[in-house]
Amino acid sequence: MNAENTDNTINTDRTATDSNSAQAEEPGFTIVREFAAPRARVWEAWTNPDVMARWFHPETLVTPRESVSVDLRVGGEYTYTMRIPDTGQEFPTAGKYLRIDEPDRLDFTWGSPGEVDEAPRVSIELDELDAGRTRMTFTLTGLPDDSGSDESVYDGWSSAFSELDTELSS
């Protein structure tokens, strides 16, 4: 597998743009990344708990494998817990799968355990550019673009995608 990431560009359009729904007027942002990996490998990174544990966190955190569970079906839920290694502080996270179109699109909620129905929504679209490159379009709806702020969700996902790039390059 080619370990070179040819384009780590983050899209400057940070608004959710689904013109066919009320989501279009909700706060949100979009991040576009290209990975030097086949689409099936990127899909697996989003849906396989063993792989998710290796990247599903910003660069300074970890996600213990035993904290990751996935029930990959529409209406199924997933959980994981991010941890700060030095302090042990934990961030339990959960969501519900809303749409599963393997290997093209995955939609789910993303929030706190027990609040998955009211949580912000994430949409992942995977476009195969060629046999070894995939463009991922990540759209989060329901939270504002908070890039640069303390505890930024935007910056956290962007950092996690650097972890994903490392995972896909290994």
Side-chain angles (χ1 to χ4, degrees):
M1 177 181 306
N2 182 351
E4 180 181 333
N5 185 346
T6 57
D7 183 2
N8 275 338
T9 322
I10 296 176
N11 188 353
T12 56
D13 176 11
R14 297 180 179 172
T15 57
T17 56
D18 182 359
S19 61
N20 295 323
S21 74
Q23 293 178 12
E25 297 187 23
E26 290 187 53
F29 57 85
T30 296
I31 301 172
V32 177
R33 296 281 294 257
E34 289 183 13
F35 299 104
R39 181 168 55 176
R41 176 83 171 97
V42 180
W43 177 267
E44 177 188 37
W46 279 98
T47 58
N48 179 318
D50 294 328
V51 181
M52 290 169 65
R54 294 192 295 262
W55 77 269
F56 230 62
H57 50 262
E59 293 166 290
T60 59
L61 279 66
V62 296
T63 299
R65 170 57 187 96
E66 65 273 9
S67 77
V68 184
S69 69
V70 172
D71 180 8
L72 188 62
R73 61 183 174 83
V74 172
E77 295 186 13
Y78 68 90
T79 61
Y80 66 99
T81 300
M82 297 177 286
R83 180 179 300 145
I84 299 173
D86 294 341
T87 67
Q89 183 178 2
E90 294 187 336
F91 304 93
T93 308
K96 182 182 287 188
Y97 292 107
L98 305 173
R99 178 177 173 178
I100 301 168
D101 293 333
E102 184 178 353
D104 302 310
R105 184 169 175 160
L106 184 65
D107 292 0
F108 53 91
T109 62
W110 178 74
S112 298
E115 300 176 3
V116 296
D117 291 324
E118 297 81 31
R121 291 165 308 285
V122 170
S123 175
I124 308 299
E125 294 182 56
L126 302 176
D127 296 310
E128 191 167 59
L129 301 176
D130 59 38
R133 290 186 331 124
T134 302
R135 177 183 304 117
M136 178 192 74
T137 303
F138 169 95
T139 303
L140 188 144
T141 306
L143 289 174
D145 174 357
D146 60 355
S147 181
S149 68
D150 290 343
E151 301 180 19
S152 167
V153 171
Y154 180 94
D155 294 344
W157 277 109
S158 184
S159 178
F161 297 148
S162 293
E163 292 286 294
L164 176 56
D165 185 48
T166 299
E167 170 62 28
L168 293 170
S169 297
S170 62

